[in-house]
Amino acid sequence: MTQKSKRVCVLGLGYIGLPTASILATNGFEVIGVDIAPGVVETINRGEVHIEEPGLRTLVAAACTGGRLRAQQAPCSADVFIIAVPTPLSSTKGADLSHVTAAMHSILPHLQPGNLVILESTSPPGTCRDLLAPMIESAGFRVGTDVFLAHCPERVLPGKILKELIENDRIIGGWNPQSAEIAREIYATFVEGDIVLTDATTAEMVKILENTYRDVNIALANEAAVLCENIGVNFWEVVTLANRHPRVHLHAAGPGVGGHCIPVDPWFLVEKCPEEARLIRTARERNDSMPQRVARETLALLSNVGGTTVAAFGIAFKGNVDDLRESPALTVIHLLRTQGIEVRIFDPHIPKHSTATNALDAVREADCLLILTDHDAFKELDPKALGPVMRRRIVYDTRHILEAEIWRAAGFYVRVLGIPSDSLTVD
Ligand code: SAJ
């Protein structure tokens, strides 16, 4: 059987599963996409998409009209099963593997000798070994000889998923070398980056550590921004200058860390090794404390002028995406509202969660414009147009995306996270 005559069943049609299913389908595989949400299945079978991601709509439409992708609510027999379901944080800050377990359970009745099961979901080190392999064995198969098992973590950046799915290097961790080799043959049909083989638990650890590396670095940036404010220097200038060192790459400070992976995955290591993962825990706590800090600073600005209304610009967890998962902006807005502040929301990427349809309406009669997400669209905001309709010309930029001098020239008091500012005086 050639690779492309294989049938692939992709479980979970979210940010990773749907692009992967569509790329496999447009590369000639017969792909069955499985999602437990009926609405998602209907949308995809119409050739449409339920998530915003550049290029995805066109790809899904091509995959469906070409007849190589169809969605359904339950799996069926296939040659390859790819599990791409969420692994969220549990209430005790550990890995909630219930979706992975349910997906694997739904595959078991369809498993046949020669099948390959691929776990793409980000999972704690040991998930293939301690959870999936025993489940496959409980169905009467020997893992690595009857049924093959591999962990192939995705590493794509939301907003660039289709490009990165193809171009990024890919780590494939096999239960045994044969499992890794069979999985490599599938990914080699569309991955242009290097494909590197290892064992499943190493691959699980690689993925978690990549995201932990980013979280710890962002925590360092956030802590440094707070230190710079205390010391009386501009964090952003410090970063620009320090990053001229060939081996230093300081990250950007901000209102906190969101998304489905970076604020979640490091906890999986803390859960596994609570006594040892102290740096990782502290970094998580620093990043989690940033929304409180931003809310506190905003309340201080408001109380200086007796203000009650904030226009929050951006609720997505990062710039130019429509993704709200774990967004620190939501926490800031919640904290302000619990203090009795009226918060208007404007996010051009998420109109259905916005309370205003345009920037001007959002800031009308507001006391403070609060930038929470680094959408490119916000860089074009015109302070000369917004200022006159606001009750007070105060802007707090937690992402360092505005040209402060232009806003000051338009009569604004400008506060930027990481930059010490003159105190705000009542006009
Ligand atoms: N952020 C900062 N400062 C920075 C960079 C990011 O505050 O310097 C914030 C962002 O605003 C956002 C959060 O961190 O709230 C996470 O954003 P991100 O762009 O770092 O990460 P994601 O969640 O979009 O994607 C990450 C990527 N991992 C790494 O860069 C190591 C991606 O490659 C992974 O595939 C993805 O997690 C995942 O699914 O694991």
Side-chain angles (χ1 to χ4, degrees), residues 156-232:
V156 292
L157 199 69
K160 292 188 185 165
I161 291 178
L162 296 183
K163 186 172 180 291
E164 293 208 351
L165 262 184
I166 293 168
E167 291 178 6
N168 286 2
D169 290 351
R170 194 94 195 198
I171 308 296
I172 296 185
W175 171 264
N176 57 348
Q178 206 184 343
S179 295
E181 187 53 40
I182 297 172
R184 191 191 64 76
E185 287 166 6
I186 301 294
Y187 288 95
T189 60
F190 67 91
V191 171
E192 290 172 6
D194 292 340
I195 298 180
V196 187
L197 306 189
T198 183
D199 66 88
T201 308
T202 301
E204 289 162 343
M205 185 64 178
V206 167
K207 167 70 191 190
I208 301 283
L209 211 49
E210 287 169 358
N211 283 352
T212 301
Y213 167 91
R214 195 150 172 87
D215 197 47
V216 171
N217 274 287
I218 297 169
L220 177 63
N222 283 332
E223 190 155 300
V226 174
L227 298 184
C228 284
E229 286 185 26
N230 287 345
I231 292 164

Coordinates of all heavy atoms in Angstrom, one line a residue, residues 156-232:
V156 N 3.4 24.3 16.0 CA 3.0 25.5 15.1 C 2.5 26.7 15.9 O 2.0 26.5 17.0 CB 2.0 25.1 14.1 CG1 2.5 24.1 13.1 CG2 0.7 24.5 14.8
L157 N 2.7 27.8 15.4 CA 2.3 29.1 16.1 C 1.0 29.5 15.5 O 0.9 29.7 14.3 CB 3.4 30.1 15.8 CG 3.4 31.3 16.7 CD1 3.9 30.9 18.1 CD2 4.4 32.4 16.1
P158 N 0.0 29.7 16.4 CA -1.3 30.2 15.9 C -1.1 31.5 15.1 O -0.3 32.3 15.5 CB -2.1 30.4 17.2 CG -1.5 29.4 18.1 CD -0.1 29.3 17.8
G159 N -1.7 31.6 14.0 CA -1.5 32.7 13.1 C -0.6 32.3 11.9 O -0.7 33.0 10.9
K160 N 0.2 31.3 12.1 CA 1.1 30.8 11.1 C 1.0 29.3 10.9 O 2.0 28.7 10.5 CB 2.6 31.2 11.4 CG 2.9 32.7 11.4 CD 4.4 32.8 11.6 CE 4.7 34.3 11.8 NZ 6.1 34.4 12.3
I161 N -0.1 28.8 11.3 CA -0.2 27.3 11.4 C 0.2 26.6 10.1 O 1.0 25.6 10.1 CB -1.6 26.9 12.0 CG1 -1.7 27.3 13.4 CG2 -1.7 25.4 11.8 CD1 -3.1 27.0 14.0
L162 N -0.4 27.0 9.0 CA -0.3 26.2 7.8 C 1.2 26.3 7.3 O 1.7 25.3 6.9 CB -1.2 26.8 6.7 CG -2.7 26.6 7.0 CD1 -3.6 27.1 5.9 CD2 -3.0 25.1 7.4
K163 N 1.8 27.4 7.4 CA 3.2 27.6 7.0 C 4.1 26.7 7.9 O 4.9 25.9 7.4 CB 3.6 29.1 7.1 CG 4.9 29.4 6.7 CD 5.1 31.0 6.7 CE 6.4 31.4 6.2 NZ 7.5 31.1 7.1
E164 N 3.9 26.8 9.2 CA 4.7 26.1 10.1 C 4.5 24.6 10.1 O 5.4 23.8 10.4 CB 4.6 26.7 11.6 CG 5.1 28.1 11.6 CD 5.6 28.5 13.0 OE1 5.4 27.8 14.0 OE2 6.2 29.6 13.1
L165 N 3.3 24.2 9.8 CA 3.0 22.7 9.8 C 3.9 22.1 8.7 O 4.4 20.9 8.8 CB 1.6 22.4 9.4 CG 0.6 22.1 10.5 CD1 -0.8 21.8 9.9 CD2 1.1 20.9 11.4
I166 N 4.2 22.8 7.6 CA 5.0 22.3 6.5 C 6.5 22.6 6.8 O 7.3 21.7 6.5 CB 4.5 23.0 5.2 CG1 3.1 22.5 4.9 CG2 5.4 22.7 4.0 CD1 2.3 23.2 3.8
E167 N 6.8 23.8 7.2 CA 8.2 24.2 7.3 C 9.0 23.8 8.5 O 10.2 23.7 8.5 CB 8.3 25.7 7.0 CG 7.9 26.1 5.6 CD 7.9 27.6 5.4 OE1 8.4 28.3 6.3 OE2 7.5 28.0 4.3
N168 N 8.3 23.7 9.7 CA 9.0 23.4 10.9 C 9.6 22.0 10.9 O 9.1 21.1 10.3 CB 8.0 23.4 12.1 CG 7.6 24.9 12.5 OD1 8.0 25.8 11.8 ND2 6.8 25.0 13.5
D169 N 10.7 21.9 11.6 CA 11.3 20.6 11.9 C 10.3 19.8 12.8 O 9.5 20.4 13.5 CB 12.6 20.7 12.6 CG 13.7 21.2 11.7 OD1 13.5 21.4 10.5 OD2 14.8 21.5 12.3
R170 N 10.3 18.5 12.6 CA 9.3 17.7 13.4 C 10.0 16.6 14.2 O 10.9 15.9 13.7 CB 8.4 17.1 12.3 CG 7.1 16.5 12.9 CD 6.0 17.5 12.8 NE 4.9 17.1 13.6 CZ 3.7 17.5 13.5 NH1 3.3 18.4 12.6 NH2 2.7 17.1 14.3
I171 N 9.6 16.5 15.4 CA 10.2 15.5 16.3 C 9.2 14.3 16.3 O 8.0 14.5 16.6 CB 10.3 16.0 17.7 CG1 11.1 17.3 17.8 CG2 11.0 14.9 18.6 CD1 12.6 17.2 17.3
I172 N 9.6 13.1 16.1 CA 8.7 12.0 16.1 C 9.3 11.0 17.1 O 10.4 10.5 17.0 CB 8.6 11.3 14.7 CG1 7.9 12.3 13.8 CG2 7.8 10.0 14.8 CD1 7.6 11.8 12.4
G173 N 8.5 10.7 18.2 CA 8.9 9.8 19.2 C 8.2 8.5 19.1 O 7.0 8.5 19.3
G174 N 8.9 7.4 18.8 CA 8.2 6.1 18.6 C 8.2 5.3 19.9 O 9.1 5.4 20.7
W175 N 7.2 4.5 20.0 CA 7.2 3.5 21.0 C 8.4 2.6 20.9 O 9.1 2.3 21.8 CB 5.9 2.6 21.0 CG 5.9 1.4 21.9 CD1 6.3 0.1 21.5 CD2 5.6 1.4 23.2 NE1 6.2 -0.7 22.6 CE2 5.8 0.1 23.7 CE3 5.2 2.4 24.1 CZ2 5.5 -0.3 25.0 CZ3 5.0 2.0 25.5 CH2 5.1 0.7 25.9
N176 N 8.7 2.3 19.6 CA 10.0 1.6 19.3 C 10.4 2.1 17.9 O 9.7 2.9 17.3 CB 9.7 0.0 19.2 CG 8.6 -0.3 18.2 OD1 7.9 0.6 17.7 ND2 8.5 -1.6 17.9
P177 N 11.6 1.8 17.4 CA 12.1 2.4 16.2 C 11.2 2.2 15.0 O 11.0 3.1 14.2 CB 13.5 1.8 16.0 CG 13.9 1.4 17.4 CD 12.7 1.1 18.1
Q178 N 10.5 1.0 15.0 CA 9.6 0.7 13.8 C 8.4 1.7 13.9 O 8.0 2.2 12.8 CB 9.2 -0.7 13.9 CG 8.8 -1.3 12.5 CD 8.2 -2.7 12.6 OE1 8.4 -3.4 13.6 NE2 7.6 -3.1 11.6
S179 N 7.9 1.9 15.1 CA 6.7 2.9 15.2 C 7.1 4.2 14.7 O 6.4 4.9 13.9 CB 6.3 3.0 16.6 OG 5.8 1.8 17.1
A180 N 8.3 4.7 15.1 CA 8.8 6.0 14.7 C 9.0 6.1 13.1 O 8.6 7.1 12.5 CB 10.1 6.3 15.3
E181 N 9.5 5.0 12.6 CA 9.7 5.0 11.1 C 8.4 5.0 10.3 O 8.3 5.8 9.3 CB 10.5 3.7 10.8 CG 11.0 3.6 9.3 CD 11.8 4.9 8.9 OE1 12.6 5.4 9.6 OE2 11.5 5.3 7.7
I182 N 7.4 4.3 10.8 CA 6.1 4.3 10.1 C 5.5 5.7 10.2 O 4.9 6.2 9.2 CB 5.2 3.2 10.7 CG1 5.8 1.8 10.4 CG2 3.8 3.2 10.0 CD1 5.1 0.7 11.1
A183 N 5.6 6.3 11.4 CA 5.0 7.7 11.5 C 5.8 8.7 10.6 O 5.2 9.5 10.0 CB 5.1 8.1 13.0
R184 N 7.1 8.5 10.6 CA 7.9 9.4 9.7 C 7.4 9.4 8.3 O 7.3 10.4 7.6 CB 9.4 9.0 9.8 CG 10.3 10.0 9.1 CD 11.7 9.5 8.9 NE 11.7 8.4 8.0 CZ 11.6 8.5 6.7 NH1 11.6 9.7 6.1 NH2 11.6 7.4 5.9
E185 N 7.0 8.2 7.8 CA 6.6 8.1 6.4 C 5.3 8.9 6.1 O 5.1 9.5 5.0 CB 6.4 6.6 6.0 CG 7.7 5.8 5.9 CD 7.5 4.3 5.9 OE1 6.3 3.9 5.9 OE2 8.5 3.6 5.9
I186 N 4.5 9.0 7.1 CA 3.2 9.8 7.0 C 3.6 11.3 6.9 O 3.2 12.0 6.0 CB 2.3 9.6 8.2 CG1 1.9 8.1 8.3 CG2 1.0 10.5 8.1 CD1 1.0 7.6 7.2
Y187 N 4.4 11.8 7.9 CA 4.7 13.2 8.0 C 5.6 13.6 6.8 O 5.5 14.8 6.3 CB 5.4 13.6 9.3 CG 4.3 13.5 10.4 CD1 4.2 12.4 11.2 CD2 3.5 14.6 10.7 CE1 3.2 12.3 12.2 CE2 2.5 14.5 11.7 CZ 2.4 13.4 12.4 OH 1.4 13.3 13.4
A188 N 6.4 12.7 6.3 CA 7.3 13.1 5.2 C 6.6 13.4 3.9 O 7.1 14.0 3.0 CB 8.3 11.9 4.9
T189 N 5.3 13.1 3.9 CA 4.5 13.4 2.7 C 4.2 14.9 2.6 O 3.9 15.4 1.5 CB 3.2 12.6 2.6 OG1 2.4 13.0 3.7 CG2 3.4 11.2 2.5
F190 N 4.3 15.7 3.7 CA 4.0 17.1 3.6 C 5.0 18.0 4.4 O 5.1 19.2 4.2 CB 2.6 17.4 4.1 CG 2.3 17.2 5.5 CD1 2.5 18.2 6.4 CD2 1.8 15.9 6.0 CE1 2.2 18.0 7.8 CE2 1.6 15.7 7.3 CZ 1.7 16.8 8.2
V191 N 5.8 17.4 5.3 CA 6.8 18.2 6.1 C 8.0 18.5 5.3 O 8.6 17.6 4.7 CB 7.1 17.5 7.4 CG1 8.3 18.3 8.1 CG2 5.9 17.4 8.3
E192 N 8.4 19.8 5.1 CA 9.6 20.2 4.4 C 10.8 20.4 5.3 O 11.9 20.4 4.9 CB 9.3 21.4 3.6 CG 8.4 21.2 2.4 CD 8.0 22.4 1.7 OE1 8.5 23.5 2.0 OE2 7.1 22.3 0.8
G193 N 10.5 20.6 6.7 CA 11.6 20.7 7.6 C 12.2 19.3 7.9 O 11.8 18.3 7.3
D194 N 13.2 19.3 8.7 CA 13.8 18.0 9.1 C 12.9 17.2 10.0 O 12.2 17.7 10.8 CB 15.1 18.2 9.8 CG 16.2 18.8 9.0 OD1 16.1 18.7 7.7 OD2 17.2 19.4 9.5
I195 N 12.9 15.9 9.8 CA 12.1 15.0 10.7 C 13.1 14.2 11.5 O 14.0 13.5 10.9 CB 11.2 14.0 9.9 CG1 10.2 14.9 9.1 CG2 10.5 13.1 10.8 CD1 9.2 14.1 8.2
V196 N 13.0 14.3 12.8 CA 14.0 13.7 13.7 C 13.4 12.7 14.6 O 12.3 13.0 15.2 CB 14.7 14.8 14.6 CG1 15.9 14.2 15.4 CG2 15.2 16.0 13.8
L197 N 13.9 11.5 14.6 CA 13.3 10.4 15.3 C 13.9 10.2 16.7 O 15.1 10.3 16.9 CB 13.4 9.1 14.5 CG 12.9 9.1 13.1 CD1 12.9 7.7 12.5 CD2 11.5 9.7 13.0
T198 N 13.0 9.9 17.7 CA 13.5 9.6 19.0 C 12.5 8.7 19.7 O 11.6 8.1 19.0 CB 13.7 10.9 19.9 OG1 14.2 10.5 21.1 CG2 12.4 11.7 20.0
D199 N 12.5 8.5 21.0 CA 11.5 7.7 21.6 C 10.3 8.5 22.1 O 10.5 9.8 22.3 CB 12.1 6.9 22.8 CG 12.6 7.8 23.9 OD1 11.8 8.1 24.8 OD2 13.7 8.2 23.9
A200 N 9.2 7.9 22.4 CA 8.0 8.7 22.7 C 8.1 9.6 23.9 O 7.7 10.7 23.9 CB 6.8 7.7 22.9
T201 N 8.7 9.1 25.0 CA 8.8 9.9 26.2 C 9.7 11.1 26.1 O 9.5 12.2 26.5 CB 9.2 9.0 27.4 OG1 8.4 7.9 27.5 CG2 9.1 9.8 28.8
T202 N 10.8 10.9 25.3 CA 11.7 12.0 25.0 C 10.9 13.1 24.2 O 11.0 14.3 24.5 CB 13.0 11.5 24.2 OG1 13.6 10.6 25.0 CG2 13.9 12.7 23.9
A203 N 10.2 12.6 23.2 CA 9.4 13.6 22.4 C 8.4 14.4 23.3 O 8.2 15.6 23.1 CB 8.7 12.9 21.3
E204 N 7.8 13.7 24.2 CA 6.8 14.3 25.1 C 7.5 15.4 25.9 O 7.0 16.5 26.1 CB 6.1 13.3 26.0 CG 5.2 12.4 25.3 CD 4.8 11.1 26.0 OE1 5.5 10.7 27.0 OE2 3.8 10.5 25.6
M205 N 8.7 15.1 26.4 CA 9.5 16.0 27.2 C 10.0 17.2 26.4 O 10.0 18.3 26.8 CB 10.7 15.3 27.9 CG 11.5 16.1 28.8 SD 10.5 16.6 30.3 CE 11.7 17.5 31.2
V206 N 10.4 16.9 25.1 CA 10.9 18.0 24.3 C 9.8 19.1 24.1 O 10.0 20.3 24.3 CB 11.3 17.4 22.9 CG1 11.4 18.5 21.8 CG2 12.5 16.6 23.0
K207 N 8.6 18.6 23.8 CA 7.5 19.6 23.5 C 7.2 20.4 24.8 O 7.0 21.6 24.7 CB 6.2 18.8 23.1 CG 5.0 19.6 23.1 CD 4.9 20.6 22.0 CE 3.7 21.5 22.2 NZ 3.5 22.4 21.1
I208 N 7.1 19.7 25.9 CA 6.8 20.5 27.2 C 7.9 21.5 27.5 O 7.6 22.6 27.9 CB 6.6 19.5 28.3 CG1 5.5 18.5 28.0 CG2 6.3 20.3 29.6 CD1 4.1 19.0 28.2
L209 N 9.1 21.0 27.3 CA 10.2 21.9 27.6 C 10.3 23.1 26.7 O 10.7 24.2 27.1 CB 11.5 21.1 27.6 CG 12.6 21.6 28.6 CD1 12.0 21.8 30.0 CD2 13.7 20.6 28.7
E210 N 10.0 22.9 25.4 CA 10.0 24.1 24.5 C 9.0 25.2 25.0 O 9.4 26.4 25.1 CB 9.5 23.6 23.1 CG 10.4 22.8 22.3 CD 9.8 22.2 21.1 OE1 8.6 22.3 20.8 OE2 10.6 21.5 20.4
N211 N 7.8 24.8 25.4 CA 6.9 25.8 25.9 C 7.3 26.3 27.3 O 7.0 27.5 27.6 CB 5.5 25.2 25.9 CG 4.9 25.2 24.5 OD1 5.5 25.7 23.6 ND2 3.8 24.6 24.3
T212 N 7.9 25.5 28.1 CA 8.4 26.0 29.4 C 9.5 27.0 29.2 O 9.6 28.0 29.9 CB 8.9 24.7 30.2 OG1 7.8 23.8 30.4 CG2 9.3 25.2 31.6
Y213 N 10.4 26.7 28.3 CA 11.5 27.7 28.0 C 10.9 29.0 27.7 O 11.3 30.1 28.2 CB 12.2 27.1 26.7 CG 13.2 28.1 26.1 CD1 14.5 28.2 26.5 CD2 12.7 28.9 25.1 CE1 15.4 29.1 25.9 CE2 13.6 29.8 24.4 CZ 14.9 29.9 24.9 OH 15.8 30.8 24.3
R214 N 9.8 29.0 26.9 CA 9.2 30.3 26.5 C 8.6 31.0 27.7 O 8.7 32.2 27.9 CB 8.2 30.1 25.4 CG 7.7 31.4 24.7 CD 7.4 31.1 23.3 NE 6.8 32.3 22.6 CZ 7.5 33.2 22.0 NH1 8.8 33.2 22.0 NH2 6.9 34.2 21.4
D215 N 7.9 30.2 28.5 CA 7.2 30.7 29.7 C 8.2 31.4 30.7 O 8.0 32.4 31.2 CB 6.4 29.6 30.4 CG 5.3 30.2 31.3 OD1 4.6 31.1 30.9 OD2 5.2 29.7 32.5
V216 N 9.3 30.6 30.9 CA 10.3 31.1 31.9 C 10.9 32.4 31.3 O 11.2 33.3 32.1 CB 11.3 30.0 32.2 CG1 12.5 30.6 33.0 CG2 10.7 28.8 32.9
N217 N 11.2 32.4 30.0 CA 11.8 33.6 29.4 C 10.8 34.8 29.5 O 11.2 36.0 29.7 CB 12.2 33.4 28.0 CG 13.6 32.8 27.9 OD1 14.5 33.5 28.2 ND2 13.7 31.5 27.7
I218 N 9.5 34.6 29.3 CA 8.5 35.7 29.4 C 8.4 36.1 30.8 O 8.3 37.3 31.1 CB 7.2 35.3 28.8 CG1 7.3 34.9 27.3 CG2 6.1 36.4 29.0 CD1 6.1 34.3 26.7
A219 N 8.5 35.2 31.7 CA 8.5 35.6 33.2 C 9.6 36.5 33.5 O 9.5 37.4 34.3 CB 8.5 34.3 34.0
L220 N 10.8 36.1 33.0 CA 12.0 37.0 33.2 C 11.7 38.4 32.7 O 12.1 39.4 33.3 CB 13.2 36.4 32.5 CG 14.5 37.2 32.6 CD1 15.0 37.3 34.1 CD2 15.6 36.5 31.8
A221 N 11.1 38.5 31.5 CA 10.8 39.8 30.9 C 9.8 40.5 31.8 O 10.0 41.7 32.0 CB 10.3 39.6 29.5
N222 N 8.8 39.8 32.2 CA 7.8 40.5 33.1 C 8.4 41.0 34.4 O 8.1 42.1 34.8 CB 6.6 39.6 33.3 CG 5.7 39.5 32.1 OD1 5.6 40.4 31.3 ND2 5.0 38.3 31.9
E223 N 9.2 40.1 35.0 CA 9.9 40.6 36.2 C 10.8 41.7 36.0 O 10.8 42.7 36.7 CB 10.6 39.4 36.8 CG 11.1 39.7 38.2 CD 11.3 38.4 39.0 OE1 10.4 37.6 39.2 OE2 12.5 38.1 39.4
A224 N 11.6 41.7 34.9 CA 12.5 42.8 34.5 C 11.7 44.1 34.3 O 12.2 45.2 34.7 CB 13.3 42.4 33.3
A225 N 10.5 44.0 33.7 CA 9.8 45.2 33.4 C 9.4 45.9 34.7 O 9.4 47.1 34.9 CB 8.5 44.9 32.6
V226 N 9.0 45.0 35.7 CA 8.6 45.6 37.0 C 9.8 46.2 37.7 O 9.8 47.3 38.2 CB 8.0 44.4 37.9 CG1 7.7 44.9 39.3 CG2 6.7 43.9 37.2
L227 N 10.9 45.5 37.6 CA 12.2 46.0 38.2 C 12.6 47.3 37.6 O 13.0 48.3 38.2 CB 13.3 45.0 38.0 CG 13.2 43.6 38.7 CD1 14.5 42.8 38.5 CD2 12.9 43.7 40.2
C228 N 12.5 47.4 36.2 CA 12.8 48.6 35.5 C 12.0 49.8 36.0 O 12.5 50.9 36.2 CB 12.7 48.5 34.0 SG 14.1 47.5 33.3
E229 N 10.7 49.6 36.2 CA 9.8 50.6 36.6 C 10.3 51.1 38.0 O 10.3 52.3 38.3 CB 8.3 50.1 36.7 CG 7.7 50.0 35.4 CD 6.2 49.7 35.4 OE1 5.6 50.0 36.5 OE2 5.7 49.1 34.5
N230 N 10.6 50.1 38.9 CA 11.1 50.5 40.2 C 12.4 51.2 40.2 O 12.6 52.2 41.0 CB 11.2 49.2 41.1 CG 9.9 48.6 41.5 OD1 8.9 49.3 41.3 ND2 9.9 47.4 41.9
I231 N 13.3 50.8 39.4 CA 14.6 51.4 39.3 C 14.6 52.7 38.6 O 15.5 53.6 38.8 CB 15.6 50.3 38.7 CG1 15.8 49.1 39.6 CG2 17.0 51.0 38.3 CD1 16.4 47.9 39.0
G232 N 13.6 52.9 37.7 CA 13.5 54.2 37.0 C 14.2 54.1 35.6 O 14.7 55.2 35.2

